[in-house]
Amino acid sequence: MTRQRLVTETGLSRATVSVALGALAAEGRIRETAHDASGARGRPSMLVSIDASRAELIGIEIGRAHIAVALADGADTVIARADRDIAASTDVRTRVEAAVALLADIAAERGLDLTTVRGVAAGTPGPKFTGEGHRSQDLALARFTRDRADVAAYLVGHFGVPVRVENNTRYTTLGETATAGARNVAYLRIDEGVGGGVVVDGSLVSGSWGTAGELGHVCVDPNGPRCACGGRGCVELVASLPALLAATHSADLATLTDRLRAGDPDATVALARAADAAAQALAGVLAVLDVSTVVVGGRVAQLTGFLDRLDHVVRDVAPSWCTAKLTVRLADDDRTAGARGALVHARSAAETTAGADDQARTTG
Ligand SMILES: [Zn+2]
């Protein structure tokens, strides 16, 4: 827009707008181009625009065997994204290096300069637990925490800008929320594990200990077996891919898929149990948070009949006012949603100077 329009829209003085634009121009973040307004006389007006060729934000998802990256410009528009399967590794350093290499590849391909980046956010697996006194799984939690610190340190060292590291499924929630164009969303991912995230009024909910949205650990059977989380009868124990394979004595996903397509009764019953458990957990979320959109991702969600069953049961068991206009849909983009969602935190990392737990900042 023109300088005059910026003054009108912001309500700031002409001088203030001029100083702000001067600072942005000095950093190379905006450019001014001549614009011949139709019918205008005299010299052409100048249009101020954000330089879309500049990468300002980096979003990264570091899965166990899959990495994804996304780049956004100064207007938070995604300008490039890519993903790649990698050899499954528990070594987080190897995986973050692979992600940085992928970024370099797409930057070179598109002629983008990564030295203009101002904020980076990365999602890594495992609950991000900020509290103490957890009953079990302490070793696993310690490793997830250590991995996040290692990833943050590596990325700060590499890019020299503020970095945030969160749970990858939370970032996928943000990415899917953007895709759905909704402000209140429950995201459930059912794969090797069962995770999720909740967005309320457009913001990701973290909770007191950083674990809000762990839909896989909602109890659906108070008399069920003890879960690794310390609770009992969790969704994950019946709905995760390993749980389904064990319940149906299937060697792998391909076998289970074939049996479901062939209408195998045991496989059909096990899948219905999984869908019912997920639906029960989601019904609780609906009653409490009144979300408008449920997005279900992961390989279990794509199995024949799963989504239909889940949709049917959610509408049957949840309060009718929650389901009248409810949208239940498959995740649109399982491959790069986590990296796209991370861009939201990359922006806040770039703009915030106050230090959060995992927000590493360069000094000097
Ligand atoms: Zn659990």
Side-chain angles (χ1 to χ4, degrees):
M1 57 182 71
T2 61
R3 283 174 176 252
Q4 181 52 51
R5 174 118 184 262
L6 277 169
V7 169
T8 312
E9 297 262 334
T10 59
L12 300 169
S13 74
R14 181 169 288 273
T16 303
V17 167
S18 186
V19 168
L21 289 177
L24 289 168
E27 291 174 13
R29 296 172 66 190
I30 56 165
R31 55 183 166 196
E32 289 194 78
T33 46
H35 169 67
D36 287 307
S38 56
R41 291 182 184 181
R43 59 181 182 139
S45 57
M46 299 296 282
L47 281 186
V48 180
S49 58
I50 286 165
D51 187 347
S53 67
R54 271 175 66 102
E56 278 208 1
L57 308 173
I58 291 175
I60 301 174
E61 179 175 10
I62 301 169
R64 288 180 184 85
H66 173 254
I67 49 167
V69 297
L71 286 165
D73 66 14
D76 295 356
T77 304
V78 178
I79 50 177
R81 59 188 164 129
D83 74 288
R84 191 176 282 172
D85 287 321
I86 55 170
S89 167
T90 53
D91 177 21
V92 77
R93 176 67 178 261
T94 307
R95 292 180 287 152
V96 70
E97 282 174 352
V100 169
L102 180 58
L103 275 167
D105 285 353
I106 63 167
E109 210 172 274
R110 319 271 168 105
L112 295 166
D113 178 7
L114 294 185
T115 62
T116 57
V117 164
R118 303 176 65 239
V120 179
T124 61
K128 183 184 168 187
F129 185 66
T130 58
E132 289 173 10
H134 193 256
R135 259 196 279 170
S136 63
Q137 229 190 11
D138 285 326
L139 286 173
L141 284 168
R143 184 170 68 76
F144 296 138
T145 304
R146 198 171 59 241
D147 282 356
R148 288 200 174 92
D150 288 350
V151 166
Y154 181 83
L155 292 172
V156 167
H158 191 86
F159 293 106
V161 297
V163 170
R164 284 176 76 166
V165 185
E166 244 289 353
N167 169 272
N168 58 337
T169 307
R170 301 294 193 283
Y171 282 161
T172 306
T173 304
L174 285 172
E176 289 293 346
T177 298
T179 305
R183 294 196 41 85
N184 295 282
V185 174
Y187 172 69
L188 177 66
R189 180 176 166 80
I190 315 177
D191 207 280
E192 289 291 324
V194 180
V198 181
V199 169
V200 174
D201 289 336
S203 297
L204 191 65
V205 177
S206 295
S208 305
W209 317 116
T211 68
E214 285 291 347
L215 291 174
H217 297 285
V218 173
C219 172
V220 289
D221 180 5
N223 301 310
R226 184 66 70 194
C227 178
C229 74
R232 192 185 283 285
C234 296
V235 172
E236 185 167 273
L237 298 176
V238 287
S240 71
L241 184 56
L244 269 177
L245 294 179
T248 58
H249 307 290
S250 302
D252 52 29
L253 179 63
T255 310
L256 177 61
T257 304
D258 288 346
R259 291 178 62 188
L260 286 167
R261 288 205 179 119
D264 178 287
D266 288 348
T268 307
V269 167
L271 190 77
R273 260 191 90 205
D276 292 356
Q280 195 177 329
L282 286 167
V285 174
L286 283 168
V288 175
L289 296 175
D290 190 23
V291 299
S292 68
T293 307
V294 167
V295 182
V296 192
R299 286 175 293 173
V300 170
Q302 288 159 6
L303 288 169
T304 308
F306 184 89
L307 191 73
D308 286 348
R309 171 87 184 194
L310 180 142
D311 185 291
H312 173 78
V313 175
V314 164
R315 290 177 199 281
D316 184 44
V317 304
S320 55
W321 61 82
C322 296
T323 58
K325 291 186 176 179
L326 176 70
T327 300
V328 177
R329 53 180 277 181
L330 268 184
D332 193 54
D333 167 27
D334 268 354
R335 306 291 294 179
T336 63
R340 284 189 295 113
L343 293 169
V344 176
H345 273 194
R347 169 57 67 199
S348 46
E351 307 298 345
T352 314
T353 49
D357 282 350
D358 266 323
Q359 185 179 331
R361 291 190 62 84
T362 51
T363 52

Coordinates of all heavy atoms in Angstrom, one line a residue, residues 90-160:
T90 N 17.8 -42.5 16.2 CA 17.5 -42.0 17.5 C 18.4 -40.8 17.8 O 18.2 -40.0 18.7 CB 17.6 -43.0 18.6 OG1 19.0 -43.5 18.5 CG2 16.6 -44.1 18.5
D91 N 19.4 -40.6 16.9 CA 20.3 -39.5 17.1 C 19.8 -38.2 16.5 O 19.7 -38.0 15.3 CB 21.7 -39.9 16.4 CG 22.7 -38.7 16.5 OD1 22.5 -37.9 17.4 OD2 23.6 -38.7 15.7
V92 N 19.4 -37.3 17.4 CA 18.7 -36.1 17.0 C 19.6 -35.2 16.2 O 19.2 -34.5 15.3 CB 18.0 -35.4 18.2 CG1 19.0 -34.6 19.0 CG2 16.9 -34.5 17.7
R93 N 20.9 -35.2 16.5 CA 21.9 -34.4 15.8 C 21.9 -34.7 14.3 O 21.9 -33.8 13.4 CB 23.2 -34.5 16.4 CG 24.3 -33.8 15.7 CD 24.2 -32.3 15.9 NE 25.3 -31.6 15.2 CZ 26.3 -31.1 15.9 NH1 26.4 -31.2 17.2 NH2 27.3 -30.5 15.2
T94 N 21.9 -36.0 14.0 CA 21.9 -36.5 12.6 C 20.6 -36.0 11.9 O 20.7 -35.5 10.7 CB 21.9 -38.0 12.6 OG1 22.9 -38.5 13.4 CG2 22.0 -38.6 11.1
R95 N 19.5 -36.0 12.6 CA 18.2 -35.6 12.0 C 18.1 -34.1 11.8 O 17.6 -33.6 10.7 CB 17.1 -36.2 12.8 CG 17.0 -37.7 12.7 CD 15.9 -38.3 13.6 NE 16.1 -38.2 15.0 CZ 15.2 -38.1 15.9 NH1 13.9 -38.0 15.6 NH2 15.5 -38.0 17.2
V96 N 18.6 -33.3 12.7 CA 18.6 -31.9 12.6 C 19.5 -31.4 11.5 O 19.2 -30.5 10.7 CB 18.8 -31.1 13.9 CG1 20.2 -31.2 14.4 CG2 18.4 -29.6 13.7
E97 N 20.6 -32.1 11.3 CA 21.6 -31.8 10.3 C 20.9 -32.1 8.9 O 21.1 -31.4 7.9 CB 22.9 -32.6 10.4 CG 23.8 -32.0 11.5 CD 25.0 -32.9 11.7 OE1 25.1 -34.0 11.2 OE2 25.9 -32.4 12.5
A98 N 20.2 -33.2 8.8 CA 19.5 -33.5 7.6 C 18.5 -32.5 7.2 O 18.3 -32.1 6.0 CB 18.8 -34.9 7.7
A99 N 17.8 -31.9 8.2 CA 16.8 -30.9 8.0 C 17.5 -29.6 7.5 O 17.0 -28.9 6.6 CB 16.0 -30.6 9.3
V100 N 18.6 -29.3 8.1 CA 19.3 -28.1 7.7 C 19.9 -28.2 6.2 O 19.8 -27.3 5.4 CB 20.5 -27.7 8.7 CG1 21.4 -26.6 8.1 CG2 19.8 -27.2 10.0
A101 N 20.3 -29.4 5.9 CA 20.8 -29.7 4.5 C 19.6 -29.6 3.5 O 19.8 -29.0 2.4 CB 21.4 -31.1 4.5
L102 N 18.4 -30.0 3.9 CA 17.2 -29.9 3.1 C 16.9 -28.5 2.8 O 16.5 -28.0 1.7 CB 16.1 -30.7 3.7 CG 14.7 -30.7 2.9 CD1 14.9 -31.2 1.5 CD2 13.7 -31.5 3.6
L103 N 17.0 -27.6 3.9 CA 16.8 -26.2 3.8 C 17.7 -25.6 2.8 O 17.3 -24.8 2.0 CB 17.0 -25.5 5.2 CG 15.8 -25.5 6.1 CD1 16.3 -25.1 7.5 CD2 14.7 -24.6 5.6
A104 N 19.0 -25.9 2.9 CA 20.0 -25.4 2.0 C 19.7 -25.8 0.6 O 19.8 -24.9 -0.4 CB 21.4 -25.9 2.4
D105 N 19.2 -27.0 0.4 CA 18.8 -27.5 -1.0 C 17.7 -26.6 -1.6 O 17.8 -26.1 -2.7 CB 18.4 -28.9 -1.0 CG 19.5 -29.9 -0.8 OD1 20.7 -29.4 -0.8 OD2 19.3 -31.1 -0.6
I106 N 16.6 -26.4 -0.8 CA 15.5 -25.7 -1.4 C 15.8 -24.2 -1.5 O 15.3 -23.6 -2.5 CB 14.2 -25.9 -0.6 CG1 14.2 -25.4 0.8 CG2 13.7 -27.3 -0.7 CD1 12.8 -25.3 1.4
A107 N 16.7 -23.7 -0.6 CA 17.1 -22.3 -0.8 C 17.9 -22.1 -2.1 O 17.6 -21.1 -2.8 CB 17.9 -21.9 0.5
A108 N 18.8 -23.0 -2.3 CA 19.6 -22.9 -3.5 C 18.7 -23.1 -4.8 O 18.9 -22.3 -5.7 CB 20.7 -24.0 -3.5
E109 N 17.8 -24.0 -4.7 CA 16.9 -24.2 -5.8 C 16.0 -23.0 -6.2 O 15.8 -22.7 -7.3 CB 15.9 -25.4 -5.4 CG 15.4 -26.3 -6.4 CD 14.7 -27.4 -5.8 OE1 15.3 -28.4 -5.4 OE2 13.4 -27.3 -5.6
R110 N 15.6 -22.3 -5.1 CA 14.7 -21.1 -5.4 C 15.4 -19.8 -5.4 O 14.8 -18.7 -5.4 CB 13.6 -21.1 -4.3 CG 13.0 -22.4 -3.9 CD 11.8 -22.7 -4.8 NE 11.4 -24.1 -4.6 CZ 10.4 -24.5 -3.9 NH1 9.5 -23.6 -3.4 NH2 10.1 -25.8 -3.7
G111 N 16.7 -19.8 -5.2 CA 17.5 -18.6 -5.1 C 17.2 -17.8 -3.9 O 17.2 -16.5 -3.9
L112 N 16.9 -18.4 -2.8 CA 16.6 -17.7 -1.5 C 17.9 -17.7 -0.6 O 18.7 -18.6 -0.6 CB 15.5 -18.5 -0.7 CG 14.2 -18.5 -1.4 CD1 13.2 -19.5 -0.8 CD2 13.5 -17.1 -1.4
D113 N 18.0 -16.5 0.1 CA 19.2 -16.3 0.9 C 18.8 -16.5 2.4 O 17.9 -15.8 2.9 CB 19.6 -14.8 0.7 CG 20.8 -14.4 1.6 OD1 21.3 -15.3 2.2 OD2 21.1 -13.2 1.6
L114 N 19.3 -17.5 3.0 CA 18.9 -17.8 4.4 C 19.6 -16.9 5.4 O 19.3 -17.0 6.6 CB 19.3 -19.3 4.7 CG 18.5 -20.3 3.9 CD1 18.8 -21.7 4.4 CD2 17.0 -20.1 4.0
T115 N 20.5 -16.0 5.0 CA 21.1 -15.1 6.0 C 20.1 -14.0 6.4 O 20.4 -13.3 7.4 CB 22.4 -14.4 5.4 OG1 22.0 -13.6 4.3 CG2 23.4 -15.4 5.0
T116 N 19.0 -13.9 5.7 CA 18.0 -12.9 6.1 C 17.0 -13.5 7.1 O 16.1 -12.8 7.6 CB 17.2 -12.5 4.9 OG1 16.6 -13.6 4.2 CG2 18.1 -11.8 3.9
V117 N 17.1 -14.8 7.5 CA 16.2 -15.4 8.4 C 16.3 -14.8 9.8 O 17.4 -14.5 10.3 CB 16.4 -16.9 8.5 CG1 15.8 -17.5 9.7 CG2 16.0 -17.6 7.2
R118 N 15.1 -14.5 10.5 CA 15.1 -13.8 11.8 C 14.6 -14.7 12.9 O 14.7 -14.4 14.1 CB 14.2 -12.6 11.7 CG 14.7 -11.6 10.6 CD 13.8 -10.4 10.4 NE 13.8 -9.6 11.6 CZ 12.7 -9.4 12.3 NH1 11.5 -9.8 12.0 NH2 12.8 -8.6 13.4
G119 N 13.9 -15.8 12.6 CA 13.4 -16.7 13.6 C 13.3 -18.1 13.1 O 13.0 -18.3 11.9
V120 N 13.5 -19.1 14.0 CA 13.5 -20.5 13.6 C 12.7 -21.2 14.7 O 12.8 -21.0 15.9 CB 14.9 -21.1 13.5 CG1 14.8 -22.6 13.2 CG2 15.8 -20.4 12.5
A121 N 11.8 -22.2 14.3 CA 11.2 -23.1 15.3 C 11.2 -24.5 14.7 O 11.1 -24.7 13.5 CB 9.7 -22.6 15.5
A122 N 11.4 -25.4 15.6 CA 11.5 -26.8 15.2 C 10.6 -27.7 16.1 O 10.5 -27.4 17.4 CB 12.9 -27.3 15.3
G123 N 10.0 -28.7 15.6 CA 9.2 -29.6 16.3 C 9.9 -30.9 16.4 O 10.3 -31.4 15.4
T124 N 9.9 -31.5 17.6 CA 10.6 -32.8 17.7 C 9.6 -33.8 18.5 O 8.7 -33.3 19.2 CB 11.9 -32.7 18.5 OG1 11.6 -32.2 19.8 CG2 12.9 -31.8 17.8
P125 N 9.8 -35.1 18.4 CA 8.8 -36.0 19.0 C 8.9 -36.0 20.5 O 9.9 -35.6 21.1 CB 9.2 -37.4 18.4 CG 10.1 -37.1 17.3 CD 10.7 -35.8 17.5
G126 N 7.8 -36.5 21.1 CA 7.8 -36.7 22.6 C 7.1 -35.6 23.3 O 7.2 -34.5 22.9
P127 N 6.4 -35.9 24.4 CA 5.8 -34.9 25.2 C 6.8 -33.8 25.6 O 7.9 -34.2 26.0 CB 5.2 -35.6 26.4 CG 5.2 -37.1 26.0 CD 6.3 -37.2 25.0
K128 N 6.3 -32.6 25.6 CA 7.2 -31.5 26.2 C 6.6 -31.2 27.6 O 5.7 -30.5 27.7 CB 7.1 -30.3 25.3 CG 8.1 -29.2 25.8 CD 8.0 -27.9 25.0 CE 8.7 -26.8 25.7 NZ 8.4 -25.5 25.0
F129 N 7.2 -31.8 28.6 CA 6.7 -31.8 29.9 C 7.6 -30.8 30.7 O 8.8 -31.0 30.8 CB 6.8 -33.2 30.5 CG 6.2 -33.3 31.9 CD1 4.8 -33.1 32.1 CD2 7.0 -33.6 33.0 CE1 4.3 -33.2 33.4 CE2 6.5 -33.7 34.2 CZ 5.1 -33.5 34.4
T130 N 7.0 -29.8 31.2 CA 7.8 -28.7 31.9 C 7.7 -28.9 33.5 O 8.3 -28.1 34.2 CB 7.3 -27.3 31.5 OG1 5.9 -27.2 31.9 CG2 7.5 -27.1 30.1
G131 N 6.9 -29.9 33.9 CA 6.7 -30.0 35.4 C 7.6 -31.1 36.0 O 8.5 -31.6 35.4
E132 N 7.3 -31.4 37.3 CA 8.1 -32.4 38.0 C 7.1 -33.4 38.6 O 5.9 -33.2 38.5 CB 8.9 -31.8 39.1 CG 10.1 -31.0 38.5 CD 10.8 -30.2 39.6 OE1 10.6 -30.5 40.8 OE2 11.7 -29.4 39.2
G133 N 7.7 -34.5 39.2 CA 6.8 -35.4 39.9 C 6.0 -36.3 39.0 O 5.0 -36.9 39.4
H134 N 6.6 -36.6 37.8 CA 5.9 -37.5 36.9 C 6.1 -38.9 37.4 O 7.1 -39.3 37.9 CB 6.5 -37.3 35.5 CG 5.7 -37.9 34.4 ND1 6.1 -39.1 33.8 CD2 4.5 -37.5 33.8 CE1 5.2 -39.4 32.9 NE2 4.2 -38.5 32.9
R135 N 5.0 -39.7 37.2 CA 5.0 -41.1 37.8 C 5.9 -42.1 37.1 O 6.5 -43.0 37.7 CB 3.6 -41.6 37.9 CG 3.0 -41.5 39.3 CD 1.8 -42.4 39.4 NE 0.6 -41.8 38.8 CZ -0.5 -42.5 38.6 NH1 -0.6 -43.7 38.9 NH2 -1.5 -41.9 38.0
S136 N 6.0 -42.0 35.8 CA 6.8 -43.0 35.1 C 7.4 -42.3 33.8 O 7.2 -41.1 33.6 CB 5.9 -44.2 34.7 OG 4.9 -43.7 33.8
Q137 N 8.0 -43.1 33.1 CA 8.6 -42.7 31.8 C 9.6 -41.5 31.9 O 9.8 -40.8 31.0 CB 7.4 -42.2 30.9 CG 7.4 -42.8 29.5 CD 6.4 -42.1 28.6 OE1 5.8 -41.1 28.9 NE2 6.2 -42.6 27.4
D138 N 10.1 -41.4 33.1 CA 11.0 -40.3 33.4 C 12.3 -40.3 32.4 O 12.7 -39.2 32.0 CB 11.5 -40.3 34.8 CG 10.4 -39.8 35.7 OD1 9.6 -38.9 35.3 OD2 10.3 -40.3 36.9
L139 N 12.8 -41.5 32.2 CA 13.9 -41.6 31.3 C 13.6 -41.1 29.9 O 14.4 -40.3 29.3 CB 14.5 -43.0 31.3 CG 15.2 -43.5 32.5 CD1 15.5 -44.9 32.5 CD2 16.4 -42.6 32.7
A140 N 12.5 -41.5 29.4 CA 12.1 -41.1 28.0 C 11.9 -39.6 28.0 O 12.3 -38.9 27.1 CB 10.8 -41.8 27.6
L141 N 11.2 -39.1 29.0 CA 11.0 -37.6 29.0 C 12.3 -36.9 29.1 O 12.5 -35.8 28.4 CB 10.1 -37.3 30.2 CG 8.6 -37.6 30.1 CD1 7.9 -37.5 31.4 CD2 8.0 -36.7 29.0
A142 N 13.3 -37.4 29.9 CA 14.6 -36.7 30.0 C 15.2 -36.7 28.6 O 15.9 -35.7 28.2 CB 15.4 -37.5 31.0
R143 N 15.1 -37.8 27.8 CA 15.7 -37.8 26.5 C 15.1 -36.8 25.6 O 15.7 -36.1 24.8 CB 15.6 -39.2 25.9 CG 16.4 -39.3 24.6 CD 16.5 -40.7 24.1 NE 15.2 -41.3 23.7 CZ 14.6 -41.0 22.6 NH1 15.1 -40.2 21.7 NH2 13.4 -41.6 22.3
F144 N 13.7 -36.7 25.6 CA 13.0 -35.7 24.8 C 13.5 -34.3 25.1 O 13.7 -33.5 24.2 CB 11.5 -35.8 24.9 CG 10.9 -37.2 24.5 CD1 9.9 -37.8 25.2 CD2 11.4 -37.8 23.3 CE1 9.4 -39.0 24.8 CE2 10.8 -39.0 22.9 CZ 9.8 -39.6 23.7
T145 N 13.6 -34.0 26.4 CA 14.0 -32.7 26.8 C 15.5 -32.4 26.4 O 15.7 -31.3 25.9 CB 14.0 -32.6 28.4 OG1 12.6 -32.9 28.8 CG2 14.3 -31.2 28.9
R146 N 16.3 -33.4 26.5 CA 17.7 -33.3 26.1 C 17.8 -33.1 24.5 O 18.5 -32.2 24.1 CB 18.5 -34.5 26.5 CG 20.0 -34.3 26.5 CD 20.7 -35.5 27.1 NE 20.5 -36.7 26.4 CZ 19.9 -37.8 26.9 NH1 19.5 -37.8 28.2 NH2 19.6 -38.9 26.2
D147 N 17.0 -33.9 23.8 CA 16.9 -33.7 22.3 C 16.5 -32.3 22.0 O 17.1 -31.7 21.0 CB 15.9 -34.7 21.7 CG 16.5 -36.1 21.6 OD1 17.7 -36.3 22.0 OD2 15.7 -37.0 21.2
R148 N 15.5 -31.7 22.7 CA 15.1 -30.4 22.3 C 16.2 -29.4 22.6 O 16.4 -28.4 21.8 CB 13.8 -30.0 23.1 CG 12.6 -30.8 22.6 CD 11.3 -30.2 23.0 NE 10.3 -31.0 22.3 CZ 9.7 -32.0 22.9 NH1 9.9 -32.3 24.1 NH2 8.8 -32.7 22.1
A149 N 16.9 -29.5 23.7 CA 18.0 -28.6 24.0 C 19.1 -28.7 22.9 O 19.7 -27.7 22.5 CB 18.6 -28.9 25.4
D150 N 19.4 -30.0 22.5 CA 20.4 -30.2 21.5 C 20.0 -29.5 20.2 O 20.8 -28.9 19.5 CB 20.7 -31.7 21.2 CG 21.4 -32.3 22.4 OD1 21.9 -31.6 23.3 OD2 21.5 -33.6 22.4
V151 N 18.8 -29.7 19.8 CA 18.3 -29.1 18.5 C 18.3 -27.6 18.6 O 18.8 -26.9 17.7 CB 16.8 -29.6 18.2 CG1 16.2 -28.8 17.1 CG2 16.8 -31.1 17.8
A152 N 17.9 -27.0 19.7 CA 17.9 -25.6 19.9 C 19.4 -25.1 19.8 O 19.6 -24.1 19.1 CB 17.3 -25.2 21.2
A153 N 20.3 -25.7 20.5 CA 21.7 -25.3 20.5 C 22.3 -25.4 19.1 O 23.0 -24.4 18.6 CB 22.5 -26.1 21.4
Y154 N 22.0 -26.5 18.3 CA 22.5 -26.6 17.0 C 22.0 -25.5 16.1 O 22.7 -24.9 15.3 CB 22.1 -28.0 16.4 CG 22.7 -28.2 15.0 CD1 24.0 -28.6 14.8 CD2 21.9 -28.0 13.9 CE1 24.5 -28.8 13.6 CE2 22.4 -28.1 12.6 CZ 23.7 -28.6 12.5 OH 24.2 -28.7 11.2
L155 N 20.7 -25.3 16.1 CA 20.0 -24.3 15.2 C 20.5 -22.9 15.6 O 20.7 -22.1 14.6 CB 18.5 -24.4 15.3 CG 18.0 -25.7 14.7 CD1 16.5 -25.8 15.0 CD2 18.2 -25.8 13.2
V156 N 20.6 -22.5 16.8 CA 21.2 -21.2 17.2 C 22.6 -21.1 16.7 O 22.9 -20.0 16.1 CB 21.1 -21.0 18.8 CG1 22.0 -19.8 19.2 CG2 19.7 -20.9 19.3
G157 N 23.4 -22.1 16.8 CA 24.8 -22.1 16.3 C 24.8 -21.9 14.8 O 25.6 -21.2 14.3
H158 N 23.9 -22.5 14.1 CA 23.9 -22.5 12.7 C 23.3 -21.2 12.1 O 23.9 -20.6 11.2 CB 23.1 -23.7 12.1 CG 23.3 -23.9 10.7 ND1 24.3 -24.6 10.1 CD2 22.6 -23.4 9.6 CE1 24.2 -24.6 8.8 NE2 23.2 -23.9 8.5
F159 N 22.2 -20.7 12.7 CA 21.5 -19.6 12.1 C 21.8 -18.3 12.8 O 21.6 -17.2 12.3 CB 20.0 -19.8 11.9 CG 19.7 -20.9 10.9 CD1 19.2 -22.1 11.4 CD2 19.8 -20.7 9.6 CE1 18.9 -23.1 10.4 CE2 19.5 -21.6 8.6 CZ 19.0 -22.9 9.1
G160 N 22.2 -18.4 14.1 CA 22.5 -17.2 14.9 C 21.3 -16.3 15.1 O 21.4 -15.1 15.2

